[in-house]
């Protein structure tokens, strides 16, 4: 097994690292922060456009879409270099990683030009309208309706947990267009501009985000959407959904591995329980790296292994959650205090994070939900790895 990269991949890494060293925005330029996952400060828009124009935004894309036809291994080291410097390449991650990617996979040439390129160049921002009340993990149970009326669809229904919708310019929205079809069929996908009459967005906070509001309820009341905004074929939205989430999952395990390694760097055990937790954290990080490397090698050979990605997502997200919980327990009441209050908890590098340990622990639950819940991943593993019968 070779756990290093070939010379051409390392040359690619060196070229990107040199670009970052020469072009990173200064600290003075980056003063304005983002307030939601679809709010992009002006400096960040300039940064993303520079990445796009230089072919470093999504290097796996062709040049006209912000890339340079990079291999999966080159895409991997691209993400590593961004993380090494703690850099975002986009403050509209769902727009970049899911919506634009879905348009490039399933959209028409006109949709790529009209919607995908402006999203990639952050001339507009996008949000993902999937989840509904009663249709979260089970997306196929969605009830938002779209009825074709001449050259428009008329949309009625509701979405929830729609991150950044109040700041987004367009929603990639999953709707039911054939109510008589089986629930995994009869679904279609529409691009709905958020300024369309009848679209109402209601942002709401959460336990850990009362100030920086991201979640939204979105209501559609007789919203008329041009038929040309249909993405993919009519009633083929389930295929688009699988592709949309697939874009998110391919290298998702890397983010969990990097978070585990960060936790390992900043958690200094002082007693037997801490040492046991630390050893488990290090082993989980190493296991995730090795399993991920094997999956990466298969992807580089052009092989698809959905079950392996489910194993990696399950292991990574739950390991981060367990490690964050142990760190919070070790910190005791300090976990509820401001990160600057470190004494007498010197074994936890609380100042290493902009957020306290409790916030990190609370946020870890998103990892076991977004991109497919742990329960869904276990079902996939049971059926595709263990060969158990469908329930």
């Amino acid at each position: 097994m070779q756990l290093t990269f070939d010379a051409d991949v390392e040359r690619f890494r060196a070229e990107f690292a040199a670009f970052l060293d020469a072009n990173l925005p200064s600290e003075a330029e980056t003063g304005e922060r983002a307030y939601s996952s679809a709010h992009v400060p002006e400096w960040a828009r300039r940064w993303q456009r520079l990445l796009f124009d230089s072919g470093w935004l999504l290097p796996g894309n062709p040049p006209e879409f912000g890339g340079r036809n990079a291999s999966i291994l080159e895409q991997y080291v691209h993400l590593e270099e961004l993380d090494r410097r703690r850099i975002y390449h986009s403050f509209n991650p769902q727009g970049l990683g899911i919506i634009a990617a879905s348009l490039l996979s399933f959209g028409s040439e006109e949709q790529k030009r009209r919607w995908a390129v402006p999203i990639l160049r952050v001339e507009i921002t996008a949000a993902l309208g999937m989840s509904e009340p009663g249709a979260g993990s089970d997306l196929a149970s969605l009830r938002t309706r779209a009825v074709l009326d001449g050259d428009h669809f008329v949309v009625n229904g509701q979405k929830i947990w729609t991150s950044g919708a109040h700041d987004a310019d367009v929603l990639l929205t999953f709707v039911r267009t054939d109510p008589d079809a089986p629930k995994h069929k009869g679904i279609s996908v529409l691009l709905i501009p958020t300024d369309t009459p009848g679209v109402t967005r209601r942002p709401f906070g959460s336990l850990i985000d009362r100030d920086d509001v991201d979640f939204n309820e979105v209501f559609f009341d007789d919203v008329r959407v041009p038929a040309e905004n249909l993405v993919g074929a009519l009633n083929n939205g389930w295929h688009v959904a699988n592709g949309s989430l697939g874009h998110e999952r391919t290298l998702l395990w890397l983010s969990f591995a990097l978070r585990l390694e960060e936790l390992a760097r900043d958690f200094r055990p002082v007693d037997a329980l801490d040492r046991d937790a630390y050893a488990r954290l290090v082993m989980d990080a190493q296991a995730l790296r090795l399993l991920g490397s094997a999956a990466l090698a298969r992807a580089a050979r052009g092989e698809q292994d959905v079950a392996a990605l489910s194993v990696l997502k399950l292991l990574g997200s739950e390991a981060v959650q367990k490690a964050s919980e142990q760190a919070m327990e070790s910190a005791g009441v300090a976990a509820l205090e401001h990160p600057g209050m470190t004494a007498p908890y010197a074994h936890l590098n609380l100042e290493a994070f902009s957020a306290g340990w409790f916030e990190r622990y609370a946020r870890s639950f998103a990892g076991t939900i977004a991109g497919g819940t742990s329960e869904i991943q276990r079902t996939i593993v049971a059926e595709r790895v263990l060969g158990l019968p469908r329930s």
Side-chain angles (χ1 to χ4, degrees):
M1 178 182 289
Q2 177 185 340
L3 294 179
T4 57
F5 294 105
D6 293 334
D8 57 343
V9 177
E10 290 300 342
R11 280 193 296 270
F12 181 92
R13 183 201 296 273
E15 184 183 355
F16 182 47
F19 169 85
L20 293 176
D21 291 340
N23 293 284
L24 275 180
S26 67
E27 186 174 345
E29 291 178 280
T30 61
E32 184 185 359
R33 63 191 182 97
Y35 290 97
S36 80
S37 59
H39 170 258
V40 183
E42 189 54 42
W43 70 264
R45 291 177 185 263
R46 292 193 299 270
W47 167 241
Q48 185 167 329
R49 287 170 195 155
L50 176 62
L51 289 168
F52 179 96
D53 293 339
S54 305
W56 290 118
L57 181 62
L58 292 172
N61 285 0
E64 62 268 29
F65 298 120
R68 49 185 62 205
N69 294 313
S71 69
I72 188 68
L73 297 180
E74 291 169 334
Q75 294 173 56
Y76 175 89
V77 299
H78 172 265
L79 292 177
E80 276 198 326
E81 289 303 309
L82 287 172
D83 181 78
R84 184 166 293 148
R85 293 165 174 78
R86 299 189 177 222
I87 303 165
Y88 290 124
H89 55 321
S90 177
F91 282 82
N92 182 213
Q94 68 273 18
L96 182 72
I98 299 178
I99 298 164
S102 298
L103 290 170
L104 296 183
S105 295
F106 303 103
S108 66
E109 292 304 313
E110 194 275 338
Q111 288 173 342
K112 294 175 187 179
R113 179 192 59 78
R114 181 181 174 191
W115 300 104
V117 170
I119 291 170
L120 292 169
R121 288 181 52 79
V122 76
E123 293 160 0
I124 61 174
T125 60
L128 184 64
M130 276 189 166
S131 296
E132 299 183 4
S137 298
D138 185 13
L139 174 66
S141 295
L142 67 86
R143 292 181 292 180
T144 295
R145 291 281 306 276
V147 178
L148 189 60
D149 179 24
D151 59 357
H152 282 71
F153 287 95
V154 180
V155 181
N156 285 279
Q158 179 188 355
K159 299 292 178 180
I160 197 167
W161 311 113
T162 314
S163 298
H166 60 301
D167 287 319
D169 299 295
V170 65
L171 304 173
L172 187 73
T173 311
F174 288 75
V175 295
R176 187 162 298 284
T177 44
D178 185 353
D180 299 321
K183 71 175 190 176
H184 288 85
K185 301 183 184 295
I187 296 172
S188 299
V189 185
L190 295 173
L191 285 161
I192 304 180
T194 54
D195 60 0
T196 306
V199 176
T200 302
R201 296 164 285 170
R202 294 182 185 170
F204 60 92
S206 67
L207 177 65
I208 56 175
D209 272 331
R210 288 177 295 178
D211 297 322
D212 296 340
V213 174
D214 197 36
F215 293 137
N216 280 255
E217 293 178 293
V218 182
F219 299 89
F220 304 95
D221 298 302
D222 290 330
V223 176
R224 295 186 64 83
V225 182
E228 64 190 27
N229 287 18
L230 175 70
V231 179
L234 184 67
N235 297 325
N236 198 34
W238 189 250
H239 179 60
V240 177
N242 286 329
S244 298
L245 296 177
H247 293 302
E248 181 184 32
R249 291 171 180 161
T250 304
L251 288 173
L252 181 61
W253 66 269
L254 177 60
S255 66
F256 294 121
L258 294 168
R259 287 168 67 186
L260 285 172
E261 291 162 4
E262 182 182 71
L263 283 164
R265 286 194 300 269
D266 293 305
F267 188 100
R268 295 186 285 272
V270 295
D271 59 28
L273 285 176
D274 281 346
R275 286 193 292 273
D276 181 69
Y278 179 76
R280 185 170 60 248
L281 165 59
V282 172
M283 288 188 292
D284 284 345
Q286 185 70 2
L288 188 59
R289 274 284 186 181
L290 293 172
L291 289 169
S293 296
L296 187 66
R298 288 192 292 272
R301 295 193 297 268
E303 301 171 14
Q304 290 188 341
D305 193 343
V306 174
L309 296 180
S310 291
V311 171
L312 289 165
K313 202 272 183 179
L314 183 64
L315 169 62
S317 62
E318 296 199 346
V320 167
Q321 192 172 102
K322 289 174 185 175
S324 301
E325 180 181 17
Q326 181 61 40
M328 190 177 72
E329 288 181 355
S330 185
V333 70
L336 304 178
E337 301 289 351
H338 189 274
M341 299 180 65
T342 57
Y345 306 98
H347 62 297
L348 290 175
N349 185 6
L350 296 178
E351 292 181 332
F353 305 104
S354 59
W357 281 100
F358 171 74
E359 182 171 342
R360 288 175 58 81
Y361 172 61
R363 288 185 183 280
S364 74
F365 284 88
T368 59
I369 298 171
T373 66
S374 288
E375 291 78 9
I376 294 294
Q377 306 308 326
R378 285 189 168 86
T379 297
I380 294 172
V381 172
E383 294 175 0
R384 302 193 186 187
V385 178
L386 302 178
L388 299 178
R390 293 177 64 89
S391 59

